[in-house]
Amino acid sequence: MLRVAVVGSGPSGVYTAQALVQQRDVPGVTVDVLDRLPCPYGLVRYGVAPDHEKIKSLQNSLRAAMEHPDIAFFGNVPVGDGPRGLAPRRLLDLYHAVVYCVGAATDRRLGIPGEDLPGSFSATEFVSWYSAHPDAAPGGFVLGARSAVVIGVGNVAVDVARVLARGAGELHHTDVPDAALSALAESRVTDIHMVGRRGPSQAKFTTKELRELGALPGAEPLVRAEEAALDPAWADPTGLPAAGRRNVEVLHGWAGQPPTGRPRRIHLRFFLRPVALIGDDAVRAVRFERTVPDGRGGIAGTGVFEEVEAQLVLRSVGYRGMPVAGLPFDAELGTVPHAEGRVLRDGVPSPGEYVAGWIKRGPTGVIGTNRSCAKETVASLLADAGALAARRPASAEEAHAALRAAGRQPVEWPGWLSIEAAEAALGRQLGRGPVKIPDWEGLLSAARSGG
């Protein structure tokens, strides 16, 4: 019998736990899924946009996996060296094996002057706010801003631009926390500029997400044809991969169209590289340098600059993994060094330590990519089962006692169900569907009061 701890309850963690208990080669595997947060599901709960209800429904399949009798959930359990965390070396005393599925929790930085001016935020901060992440700063993102700049042209950039462009009435039926919904209702943003340093054919958003910008009832997408035409593939996209070709075709349909008078406008801008955020006490504009294709698949600066008004800047230029204290970490790649999921310490596999998900491969792929990634790691773990079984960790009872004494009272699965019940009750009080509880105190109180 193997007892495994999986650290992280997002898709990669759930898929890892599921693959372990469903395999048939090693009988009697049990899994404890640990998470720093009191709620499971990771970015499916705290990263998927509230109006993407079909994707958010993935929680139903994650729930089914987590309710397997050989899987237990322990939320509110921090992991890492420190006074309140379970150190990796301690976890190895408690389990035969530990799989770290901790994702990529921070944003890449632009590294330009003014990046930290008031009014400038990472896209993750904005997403956390409207997704009710308990670590999120309180509101103030949109009140008073007339013009917003979103730096980046990936799916997260499209998500935050779309949320800014929606009226609060369009989000009323979602699980957006009430304070964020009220702030969005009072928003005075009329212009949203989504800006990329390369051309339309190199944008990272999916066509499905892009098309949603054209279906918003109160906003319209605008594309400058002369700017997009700097892309060599703009005139003839037939040589592009299918996704890039479809994106260019959608953008062609919007290019050069005059505004029709809708309340909000989404300006899709290309070949502009941010060089500084301008302002004294707060951001008031973003300075960009015009870029052009360099003929080798990259871009080159032209020395021509443009300032775009902005009282709100959201930086969406990619995620980056954060080190777990006590684990090796490749600071350049933002990942834990590994070989087929086996953690490497000084280049040698560390017995009993594994990784899966973004902390293993970097922030690439879609949610489903985590399933194959998890299967590779589980295959490595099962191949090591004989050596792992020879280890003598603590008993299950001792391990669970250690979790409960780890500085915070864990939230187990019944506690999570109580949080769900409390969020449903909150929504009924507000005349809405379930509404997320946005703060640590509220979540823990709900978990411990039976809803």
Side-chain angles (χ1 to χ4, degrees), residues 2 61 84 91 94 113 119 127 156 180 252 260 270 312 317 377 422-423 428:
L2 290 182
S61 64
R84 302 186 71 186
L91 283 176
L94 301 176
V127 171
V156 175
H252 260 291
T260 61
F270 299 99
L312 173 65
V317 292
T377 295
E423 292 182 337
R428 287 193 295 271

Side-chain angles (χ1 to χ4, degrees), residues 94-113:
L94 301 176
Y95 295 91
H96 291 97
V98 184
V99 187
Y100 293 90
C101 306
V102 293
T106 191
D107 290 79
R108 296 183 182 275
R109 290 181 61 83
L110 296 171
I112 60 175

Side-chain angles (χ1 to χ4, degrees), residues 47-53 56 127 130-131 159 162-163 175:
V48 174
D51 56 346
H52 277 177
E53 290 159 327
K56 289 178 77 69
V127 171
Y130 67 61
S131 297
D159 281 347
R162 191 181 64 254
V163 169
D175 59 7

Side-chain angles (χ1 to χ4, degrees), residues 3 17 25 48 53 59 158 162 184 202 255 277 305 348 351 405 417-418 427 441:
R3 294 178 38 256
D25 297 330
V48 174
E53 290 159 327
Q59 290 187 23
V158 174
R162 191 181 64 254
L184 289 166
Q202 296 172 306
L277 273 60
F305 297 90
V348 179
L417 297 181
S418 293
E441 182 179 357

Side-chain angles (χ1 to χ4, degrees), residues 57-431:
S57 69
L58 177 62
Q59 290 187 23
N60 296 329
S61 64
L62 298 181
R63 171 200 290 272
M66 290 290 288
E67 291 183 335
H68 190 282
D70 293 326
I71 296 175
F73 174 67
F74 292 88
N76 198 35
V77 176
V79 170
D81 288 334
R84 302 186 71 186
L86 278 170
R89 62 184 180 276
R90 176 61 174 147
L91 283 176
L92 280 179
D93 291 338
L94 301 176
Y95 295 91
H96 291 97
V98 184
V99 187
Y100 293 90
C101 306
V102 293
T106 191
D107 290 79
R108 296 183 182 275
R109 290 181 61 83
L110 296 171
I112 60 175
E115 185 169 5
D116 295 318
L117 278 169
S120 170
F121 304 91
S122 71
T124 295
E125 291 175 287
F126 187 65
V127 171
S128 294
W129 171 67
Y130 67 61
S131 297
H133 195 293
D135 290 340
F141 281 95
V142 295
L143 293 178
R146 300 179 306 278
S147 178
V149 167
V150 180
I151 299 175
V153 283
N155 278 347
V156 175
V158 174
D159 281 347
V160 299
R162 191 181 64 254
V163 169
L164 279 172
R166 282 198 184 278
E170 298 172 56
L171 296 171
H172 186 267
H173 68 286
T174 72
D175 59 7
V176 170
D178 207 47
L181 189 68
S182 297
L184 289 166
E186 297 178 29
S187 168
R188 289 181 280 180
V189 172
T190 58
D191 289 273
I192 302 149
H193 307 264
M194 192 169 72
V195 188
R197 60 193 180 95
R198 298 174 184 256
S201 67
Q202 296 172 306
K204 300 299 184 182
F205 41 62
T206 61
T207 307
K208 178 180 180 297
E209 291 250 356
L210 178 63
R211 284 180 175 142
E212 289 180 39
L213 298 181
L216 299 173
E220 55 190 333
L222 301 173
V223 176
R224 301 187 183 190
E226 69 281 4
E227 190 171 78
L230 295 171
D231 191 326
W234 180 252
D236 182 11
T238 55
L240 293 173
R245 184 177 67 253
R246 289 192 295 266
N247 284 345
V248 170
E249 289 169 352
V250 171
L251 293 166
H252 260 291
W254 298 337
Q257 297 295 321
T260 61
R262 291 184 182 179
R264 294 186 175 98
R265 295 163 291 280
I266 304 172
H267 307 265
L268 290 99
R269 305 292 308 276
F270 299 99
F271 292 111
L272 290 172
R273 176 168 56 197
V275 295
L277 273 60
I278 310 301
D280 297 318
D281 298 328
V283 65
R284 60 173 178 80
V286 183
R287 179 175 294 147
F288 292 95
E289 181 183 16
R290 169 65 63 195
T291 62
V292 292
D294 64 4
R296 301 183 299 276
I299 54 170
T302 64
V304 176
F305 297 90
E306 174 182 341
E307 289 188 9
V308 176
E309 177 193 357
Q311 297 82 38
L312 173 65
V313 175
L314 300 173
R315 312 179 305 271
S316 181
V317 292
Y319 292 102
R320 181 173 178 80
M322 292 288 289
V324 175
L327 281 184
F329 187 70
D330 185 323
E332 182 176 347
L333 297 177
T335 58
V336 171
H338 72 94
E340 297 181 318
R342 297 177 177 93
V343 171
L344 299 178
R345 292 184 181 269
D346 298 321
V348 179
S350 176
E353 294 186 307
Y354 302 85
V355 285
W358 278 2
I359 199 64
K360 169 187 173 184
R361 68 181 191 274
T364 61
V366 295
I367 290 174
T369 309
N370 291 295
R371 191 181 291 277
S372 57
C373 177
K375 286 182 177 179
E376 180 191 58
T377 295
V378 168
S380 294
L381 190 157
L382 295 176
D384 301 340
L388 296 175
R391 300 182 66 249
R392 292 292 180 264
S395 68
E397 293 75 16
E398 291 169 329
H400 292 173
L403 298 182
R404 296 185 180 106
R408 296 181 178 181
Q409 184 68 25
V411 174
E412 299 180 45
W413 195 252
W416 159 241
L417 297 181
S418 293
I419 291 173
E420 282 196 315
E423 292 182 337
L426 175 60
R428 287 193 295 271
Q429 292 172 13
L430 298 170

